[in-house]
Amino acid sequence: MIFQQVSKLKDKTEKSIFIELVTVYIRLVEVFCEKNHLEQIPGEGGEIGERCGRQIDGSAEQAGRKLVHELCSIGVISGKDELPELRNVLAGQYLPFLHAVQTAMFYEDMMDGLLDKLYNSRRRKLQDNSRQETALSMVDFFCGAGGLSLGFIQQGFRVRLANDIEDVCIRTYRYNHPELPSGRVIQGDIKEIVDRAEEYIGQDIDVVVGGPPCQGFSEANRQRVIDDPRNKLYKYFVKAVERIAPRFVVMENVKGMLKVADQVVEDYGKLRAGRNGQNYSYLVDYRILNSQYFSVAQSRERLIYIAVRSDIAREKNLTPGRIFDEIETGCEGNKTYILMDALRDIRSLEAPRIKNQNEIDSEACGKKIDVNPFENHTNPYLDLINQGRKIPFVFNHKARYLSDVNYEIYRRLDQGDDATDEKIRDIMPYAHRNHCFKDKYYKLIADRPSRTITAHLKMDCHSHIHPYQVRSLTPREAARVQSFPDDYLFLGAYLKTYMQIGNAVPPVMARAIAQVIKRYLVS
């Protein structure tokens, strides 16, 4: 479930996660009312709110009982006796939360499922209704915020297990995938998951996907670079394939892994996976794929491995190379989208000029959750990433802080200019190291696919300066470039949203890969 009951919160971290979700609930109700020109119930004012609080704290009135029932349905409490603890944890957010919950109850028929992801009861119902044991199944290791999973889900796959070590990624994944039981989305070391795979996965799996980090590429003279201890996560991914014995494997990594690609092929060739009394081997191949050819508004080269289990290969007369050929053929005729396609139909913002403002919402600098004034605008790229849906709200569209020096650098640069440009020579703080920091500053070119969105954006965004506005890309703009839908909310601290987005596989690219693999699972 998305909420832990307030009485079960064990430490400050769990309480802060709880408060963040409550804040999201409050804000969603606020923007719903703003968009529809409605007043919150019971209305503005501390006096009414205090009366509401007294009702449920000390009265058996019908309104109070209904509100307690709703809070239990959300999952924040298990009964009326936990209200004092809820008040204590939420502090100043307690009465605004009660206002928001009452408002949501009053306008429930108008809200069109807006809050469903924040109700334990509604998530449970969705999970019960979506239990399709015959559905195509997948497991996602190193799932991050869920880009690779999303592409496969959009092609009809059902996730049986998702795992990542980053807590904030798991929280984002859980929020955006309410159809998955929380026990199937696990934060922790892959080693612990692999060693207990049977406890999590009780059936045959069609596809295992993932992008294991590999870091030990520097010692090029070593015979088996892939055996470097720093690549142990890759080794556990291979072990997971051996334990689970999926019909297909899709492994994604950085282009730099190409130098050990043949060693990876060798490792897969040695695999002997056992399941249901059968032993299987795998055929594997790899190619560099660029997301721009999948109609993602970004030039992002990634090394993709595809493995096919031996019995499937024989039955379908299939090789991984044939799958890659079909994936690449499917890209022929695809429209190439440019950066500006992703940046259209979204509000202009100003960069905050005062430090420590990134977490604060404002009209000028943006809000974590806001009304989408462009809901009814047509845009082919947004139609692609949003699958034709009109999305009334926009998430994570907030500009990042700029110092005076960086503001002036951003202002002077033209599209395509970098840190070596003469226009900023007098104020460039890294001028003496331009030989290695050439890309430290770069203003993006509007009429080309964006340069690669990376996790480094959490450190600074100087390499991704907006082509027209004096600021860097917002997390939402970066997410659009990555082809995430506009209603995919990234939880956690502002800077960590960049990390989640930059590490992800573009969902539209994943969707195309899943589409080809799906043909061989349903035919």
Side-chain angles (χ1 to χ4, degrees):
M1 296 296 101
I2 195 71
F3 273 108
Q4 285 192 75
Q5 292 168 2
V6 68
S7 61
K8 295 181 179 179
L9 301 176
K10 297 187 288 291
D11 52 39
K12 289 183 178 179
T13 298
E14 291 188 352
K15 288 179 181 179
S16 67
I17 292 169
F18 183 92
I19 291 170
E20 180 185 24
L21 292 171
V22 165
T23 303
V24 169
Y25 188 109
I26 293 169
R27 183 62 188 146
L28 284 172
V29 172
E30 287 175 349
V31 294
F32 165 80
C33 290
E34 180 183 341
K35 174 180 171 53
N36 293 285
H37 308 290
L38 301 170
E39 291 188 5
Q40 285 205 50
I41 305 299
E44 304 293 337
E47 181 182 346
I48 297 175
E50 286 291 351
R51 187 164 67 246
C52 165
R54 288 195 300 272
Q55 271 187 351
I56 63 174
D57 283 344
S59 166
E61 293 183 18
Q62 185 178 13
R65 289 198 302 270
K66 286 183 177 179
L67 188 51
V68 168
H69 180 270
E70 192 77 2
L71 293 170
C72 292
S73 181
I74 295 168
V76 294
I77 61 173
S78 61
K80 179 181 174 182
D81 58 335
E82 290 183 353
L83 286 169
E85 193 163 2
L86 181 65
R87 179 191 286 270
N88 181 56
V89 168
L90 294 183
Q93 293 285 69
Y94 179 68
L95 292 178
F97 182 47
L98 298 188
H99 286 160
V101 173
Q102 285 198 319
T103 301
M105 292 167 63
F106 189 83
Y107 295 122
E108 182 178 358
D109 291 343
M110 298 174 58
M111 299 196 82
D112 195 27
L114 176 64
L115 298 171
D116 285 359
K117 293 175 182 175
L118 288 165
Y119 275 73
N120 285 357
S121 60
R122 298 179 192 176
R123 293 173 73 98
R124 192 177 296 113
K125 184 176 180 180
L126 179 61
Q127 290 159 18
D128 289 342
N129 291 340
S130 64
R131 293 188 191 280
Q132 304 172 29
E133 298 303 325
T134 58
L136 299 173
S137 59
M138 65 174 290
V139 169
D140 190 349
F141 290 109
F142 310 100
C143 65
L148 191 50
S149 283
L150 181 60
F152 273 77
I153 289 169
Q154 290 172 344
Q155 284 293 336
F157 285 78
R158 178 169 172 78
V159 178
R160 301 301 179 184
L161 175 68
N163 164 243
D164 199 276
I165 200 164
E166 286 278 356
D167 176 69
V168 68
C169 291
I170 288 297
R171 289 192 279 124
T172 291
Y173 193 110
R174 281 181 180 153
Y175 176 86
N176 290 285
H177 296 286
E179 75 281 1
L180 304 181
S182 295
R184 298 283 184 174
V185 186
I186 302 171
Q187 187 264 328
D189 193 321
I190 185 176
K191 179 181 183 298
E192 299 172 6
I193 306 300
V194 171
D195 289 344
R196 300 160 53 200
E198 292 79 6
E199 296 179 24
Y200 300 107
I201 305 165
Q203 75 244 36
D204 292 340
I205 296 297
D206 292 309
V207 187
V208 166
V209 305
C214 288
Q215 299 170 323
F217 297 152
S218 59
E219 301 174 51
N221 60 334
R222 284 183 53 174
Q223 203 167 19
R224 284 277 301 175
V225 177
I226 201 66
D227 292 332
D228 188 298
R230 287 170 290 178
N231 296 329
K232 64 179 181 178
L233 296 176
Y234 153 76
K235 291 292 188 179
Y236 281 116
F237 183 85
V238 174
K239 184 178 179 182
V241 171
E242 192 169 43
R243 294 288 294 269
I244 297 169
R247 294 174 176 85
F248 295 87
V249 181
V250 177
M251 192 173 84
E252 178 264 355
N253 222 293
V254 296
K255 186 180 177 181
M257 195 180 179
L258 189 60
K259 66 179 70 174
V260 296
D262 290 332
Q263 295 174 25
V264 172
V265 171
E266 183 181 337
D267 285 348
Y268 273 88
K270 294 176 182 177
L271 275 181
R272 294 298 179 268
R275 188 161 186 87
N276 301 325
Q278 300 292 320
N279 290 318
Y280 304 106
S281 59
Y282 283 87
L283 303 178
V284 65
D285 202 352
Y286 59 88
R287 289 192 194 171
I288 299 288
L289 299 179
N290 192 319
S291 63
Q292 68 176 315
Y293 301 122
F294 294 82
S295 291
V296 176
Q298 170 189 198
S299 179
R300 183 187 188 89
E301 288 188 315
R302 281 299 183 268
L303 178 59
I304 305 294
Y305 296 84
I306 292 178
V308 184
R309 205 172 68 187
S310 53
D311 59 321
I312 303 298
R314 286 192 301 270
E315 178 187 336
K316 308 287 186 181
N317 190 26
L318 182 62
T319 65
R322 179 177 164 189
I323 293 175
F324 275 120
D325 289 343
E326 292 185 20
I327 290 170
E328 292 178 335
T329 299
C331 290
E332 294 176 3
N334 277 353
K335 180 176 174 57
T336 298
Y337 287 100
I338 58 175
L339 172 63
M340 206 57 217
D341 292 319
L343 301 185
R344 287 193 181 96
D345 302 316
I346 197 165
R347 196 157 66 86
S348 298
L349 299 177
E350 299 173 8
R353 305 302 306 284
I354 302 172
K355 286 184 177 180
N356 303 316
Q357 299 294 300
N358 287 332
E359 301 291 346
I360 299 174
D361 287 355
S362 75
E363 287 298 324
C365 302
K367 302 175 183 180
K368 187 166 185 172
I369 300 172
D370 203 359
V371 174
N372 179 11
F374 300 95
E375 177 187 1
N376 295 315
H377 288 217
T378 58
N379 178 328
Y381 184 67
L382 294 188
D383 285 344
L384 174 69
I385 67 176
N386 293 331
Q387 296 189 296
R389 296 175 300 137
K390 292 184 177 181
I391 297 177
F393 308 106
V394 64
F395 299 153
N396 305 107
H397 185 46
K398 297 180 66 174
R400 185 172 184 162
Y401 162 74
L402 267 184
S403 67
D404 291 344
V405 170
N406 285 326
Y407 184 91
E408 186 62 17
I409 289 173
Y410 284 26
R411 188 190 67 79
R412 292 187 192 181
L413 290 178
D414 296 320
Q415 293 180 36
D417 288 347
D418 60 29
T420 65
D421 194 272
E422 286 296 315
K423 292 191 292 293
I424 60 170
R425 184 177 181 180
D426 61 314
I427 55 172
M428 174 59 188
Y430 304 96
H432 64 293
R433 299 191 68 189
N434 273 347
H435 62 286
C436 57
F437 280 143
K438 179 180 178 181
D439 290 337
K440 178 72 174 178
Y441 291 87
Y442 183 81
K443 180 164 283 192
L444 297 169
I445 301 174
D447 62 358
R448 297 181 189 173
S450 173
R451 72 188 323 187
T452 302
I453 301 296
T454 69
H456 178 80
L457 294 181
K458 72 178 179 181
M459 307 302 295
D460 66 66
C461 289
H462 304 324
S463 58
H464 289 73
I465 302 170
H466 195 286
Y468 298 118
Q469 299 172 37
V470 187
R471 60 175 178 82
S472 58
L473 295 187
T474 68
R476 174 49 47 195
E477 289 166 336
R480 281 185 169 188
V481 169
Q482 278 276 60
S483 75
F484 278 95
D486 275 350
D487 59 353
Y488 207 93
L489 174 63
F490 294 88
L491 296 175
Y494 176 82
L495 296 182
K496 286 196 172 184
T497 61
Y498 283 110
M499 176 271 292
Q500 297 175 66
I501 294 162
N503 278 335
V505 175
V508 166
M509 181 176 176
R511 191 193 308 173
I513 295 171
Q515 183 179 33
V516 174
I517 291 175
K518 178 180 178 180
R519 292 180 199 148
Y520 294 101
L521 289 168
V522 299
S523 61

